[in-house]
Amino acid sequence: MDEKFDCIIVGAGIAGLAAAMILARNNMKFLLIEKGDFAGAKNVSGGVLWGTDLARLVPEYWKEKDGGWERFINHRRLTFMDEQSTFSLDFKSSHFDEPPYSGVVVLRSKFDRWLAEKVQEAIDESDYAMESFIATNIKVDEVLMEDNKAMGIRTGDEEFHTDSVIIAEGVNNLLSRQVGLQDDYVPADHMLTGIKEVIRFDQKVLEDRFQLDGLSGMSNEFVGYATDGVEGGGFLYTNRDTISLGLVAGIKDMREKEKSPHDILNHFKEHPVIRDTIKGGEVVEYSAHVVSSGDKRVMPRQLYKDGVLLCGEAANLLINAGKAIQGMDFALRSGIIGAETIIKAKEQGDFSSRTLQEYRQALDDSYVMKDINNFQDAVHMLHSPEMYRDIPNLVCDFGRTFFTIDNQPTQKSRKLFSASVKKHSSYWDLIKIGFKGAKSL
C-alpha cells in the first residue's frame, strides 16, 4: 500500500471532522489524527453550533433518534446583572422550530464522537475505504517540513507522508508555531478562560423550569455581575437533561485582579437569580479551557503556506459581537473550505501556497471573515469596563425603581432613568456608548 496520503488532518474537533467529511465524499485518501481516545475526548467545551452548515455534513440530522446534538434553539435571552437583580431582553419564536435549525446545543464530547461516526460512514462508502483512516490516541509531535513545505507528520518514531496538512489542533497552537504560521507568544489580553459546569436535572424538571417543549432549547448570555468585575460574561445553555452554565473571563484582567476561574464561577452561582435557576441540580462535570477573545489581532499573520493550512481555533476564528458567541460554526465552515481547497490543489497537482491561497480568499468571501472584520468594533466595545460594569448596573438599577410599587407617588420613567444614569454613569458617556454601538453593530 502506498503510504502517502493526499492530506493529513491534525485534530478531530469540528474543523477537522468537517474537513474529513468533505475529503471522504470526494474520494480523497486522508489520515485524520486525534490525540484523545476518541473524537471529543479532549474537548471539554460545548454550547451552540449556529447556522445550517451541519445539515450540509449530515443531511436531515434532525431525524436521527439519538443524534449528537442536545436541543435546537428557539429561545434567546440576553441578561444584564447587578448584585441583586437581572434585567433581560427575551426573544422566543416558533419560526426557529423548523429544521434545518439555526442553532443546536451540543456537548462536544458527545457531538464530536457522533460526527466522527458519520465521517467513518463516508470513508466506508469512498474509493479509499481501506486506505483512509481516523487514528485516535496519537499525538503529533511535528509537522515534517522540507524546503519550508509541509511533507508529512511525525508521531513518536513513525513518520507519515502527505501532499498536504490541515492543522486543526485548537487554540493551543503548538504545530502552528512550529511551521511558522503563529507567533511564539500570544498576548494574554487577547485570550480568555472559559469555565463551565454541567448541571443535571430530572428532564421534566428542566423542561418545566425553562419552558421547553419537546427538543426546544434556550441560550442565555449574561453581562455584568456574572464575572465579579472581571472582563467577560456568562452563559447558560439547556441540554437534554442538563444545563451548561459558565463564564468566559479575561486572563490578563483576572490575573491583575487576583481572581481565579473557580472563585468567579462560584460568585456567579451565588447570585440570587442563578441560585434559584440551578436549585436542585447536580454538578456532574467541571471544565476550563483557553479561548480567543475574538480580536482579529490574535489571528496568525497567514493561514497557509506551502502544503499546510490552519482551520478553526488553530486560526483563532471566533467572535462575540453581543448577538452570540460564535466559534464552532466558524470552525465547521473553515474545515469545509479548507478541504475544498485541498481537493482543488490535488486536481491541479499543486499544493504550494500559490494554490492554497484560495483558502484565505474563500474564507474572506465567507461570512466567517466578513463577520470578524465587520464586528471588530463590537468585540472591543463588549470588552470595555462600561459594558461589563456600568451599563448592567445602570439597567438593573432602573429596572428596580421602575418595577417597584410602594404606595408612594410614582415618578415619571424619565426621572427614574435620570437618577440611575446619575448614579452609575452620565448622559455623555451613554451618548458615546450609543454612538459606538450604532457604529459597531
Side-chain angles (χ1 to χ4, degrees):
M1 180 183 72
D2 181 5
E3 294 186 358
K4 188 175 184 181
F5 296 92
D6 295 321
C7 183
I8 293 177
I9 306 168
V10 183
I14 288 180
L17 289 167
M21 182 73 84
I22 299 301
L23 293 180
R25 288 182 177 160
N26 285 271
N27 289 314
M28 299 284 281
K29 180 181 174 183
F30 68 92
L31 174 63
L32 172 59
I33 298 180
E34 165 59 38
K35 65 181 178 181
D37 292 336
F38 54 87
K42 296 288 186 180
N43 200 320
V44 299
S45 66
V48 182
L49 173 57
W50 298 107
T52 58
D53 277 342
L54 178 58
R56 185 173 172 184
L57 294 185
V58 186
E60 298 188 328
Y61 66 86
W62 55 88
K63 291 186 177 180
E64 294 196 14
K65 183 177 180 181
D66 190 24
W69 54 287
E70 299 293 305
R71 294 180 178 275
F72 68 87
I73 296 296
N74 71 346
H75 189 179
R76 304 289 308 279
R77 181 181 291 164
L78 174 63
T79 299
F80 298 92
M81 307 181 78
D82 68 6
E83 63 181 8
Q84 295 178 302
S85 314
T86 60
F87 195 118
S88 296
L89 300 175
D90 197 282
F91 182 76
K92 187 173 184 178
S93 175
S94 61
H95 96 278
F96 291 125
D97 293 354
E98 294 299 319
Y101 302 119
S102 62
V104 291
V105 186
V106 302
L107 293 169
R108 290 292 301 279
S109 60
K110 176 184 175 182
F111 178 80
D112 292 9
R113 194 170 195 171
W114 168 78
L115 189 55
E117 292 172 356
K118 298 301 177 183
V119 172
Q120 186 60 58
E121 291 175 8
I123 291 173
D124 294 341
E125 294 172 0
S126 74
D127 293 345
Y128 291 101
M130 302 302 293
E131 296 172 88
S132 290
F133 304 95
I134 300 176
T136 59
N137 204 24
I138 295 176
K139 178 179 179 293
V140 175
D141 297 306
E142 178 186 8
V143 175
L144 300 175
M145 304 293 290
E146 184 177 308
D147 296 329
N148 210 31
K149 179 182 184 301
M151 306 295 291
I153 58 97
R154 180 180 63 81
T155 170
D157 295 329
E158 292 191 81
E159 294 184 355
F160 298 89
H161 296 94
T162 184
D163 289 320
S164 61
V165 176
I166 293 178
I167 297 177
E169 61 181 339
V171 73
N172 297 317
N173 39 33
L174 300 177
L175 297 179
S176 306
R177 299 178 191 183
Q178 182 245 310
V179 301
L181 287 175
Q182 177 66 284
D183 293 335
D184 288 338
Y185 173 73
V186 178
D189 52 352
H190 294 324
M191 305 304 290
L192 308 171
T193 293
I195 319 112
K196 181 189 76 175
E197 285 184 352
V198 176
I199 304 174
R200 176 174 291 137
F201 297 86
D202 175 86
Q203 186 167 332
K204 187 177 186 308
V205 170
L206 183 144
E207 290 173 350
D208 289 346
R209 185 166 299 181
F210 294 98
Q211 300 178 352
L212 308 179
D213 181 25
L215 289 180
S216 69
M218 183 188 74
S219 70
N220 193 167
E221 283 76 39
F222 298 86
V223 182
Y225 175 92
T227 51
D228 196 17
V230 173
E231 170 197 356
F235 59 83
L236 186 157
Y237 307 121
T238 55
N239 307 311
R240 293 283 178 103
D241 62 354
T242 64
I243 62 169
S244 294
L245 180 76
L247 306 164
V248 286
I251 292 177
K252 180 182 178 183
D253 202 30
M254 200 162 38
R255 182 180 62 211
E256 291 176 349
K257 292 175 180 174
E258 299 182 342
K259 294 181 179 179
S260 73
H262 183 71
D263 291 340
I264 296 175
L265 182 58
N266 283 338
H267 174 83
F268 181 37
K269 291 170 65 178
E270 289 169 2
H271 189 279
V273 173
I274 300 302
R275 189 168 60 238
D276 288 346
T277 300
I278 64 177
K279 184 178 179 180
E282 175 193 5
V283 177
V284 294
E285 180 183 318
Y286 172 86
S287 58
H289 65 114
V290 176
V291 297
S292 172
S293 67
D295 192 320
K296 72 176 184 179
R297 290 174 294 183
V298 79
M299 288 182 64
R301 294 185 303 274
Q302 193 58 273
L303 300 182
Y304 64 91
K305 64 189 308 182
D306 290 349
V308 61
L309 52 83
L310 309 180
C311 291
E313 278 194 295
N316 287 107
L317 300 177
L318 182 142
I319 192 172
N320 178 14
K323 183 179 178 181
I325 300 171
Q326 293 179 257
M328 289 186 284
D329 54 332
F330 285 9
L332 196 153
R333 177 62 70 89
S334 68
I336 291 173
I337 294 173
E340 291 173 341
T341 305
I342 297 300
I343 292 166
K344 290 181 181 178
K346 183 182 180 181
E347 291 172 350
Q348 297 174 20
D350 180 8
F351 292 86
S352 70
S353 59
R354 182 175 56 191
T355 302
L356 298 191
Q357 68 179 338
E358 293 185 21
Y359 168 65
R360 181 57 192 255
Q361 184 59 55
L363 205 59
D364 286 343
D365 291 340
S366 75
Y367 81 96
V368 175
M369 287 308 303
K370 285 183 178 179
D371 282 0
I372 287 176
N373 289 326
N374 288 341
F375 291 100
Q376 280 299 295
D377 288 342
V379 171
H380 298 154
M381 186 178 77
L382 284 174
H383 289 279
S384 67
E386 293 87 357
M387 291 307 298
Y388 60 82
R389 185 188 60 207
D390 298 342
I391 296 300
N393 289 338
L394 188 161
V395 169
C396 288
D397 185 77
F398 170 71
R400 252 189 320 272
T401 56
F402 180 82
F403 289 109
T404 296
I405 298 174
D406 58 1
N407 302 123
Q408 297 293 325
T410 301
Q411 292 184 319
K412 293 284 189 179
S413 298
R414 59 183 176 80
K415 288 189 176 181
L416 297 177
F417 185 72
S418 293
S420 295
V421 170
K422 186 178 295 186
K423 189 183 301 184
H424 298 286
S425 184
S426 69
Y427 276 110
W428 175 239
D429 287 338
L430 291 185
I431 291 171
K432 290 190 294 183
I433 292 171
F435 177 77
K436 288 181 181 178
K439 180 182 177 183
S440 62
L441 296 174

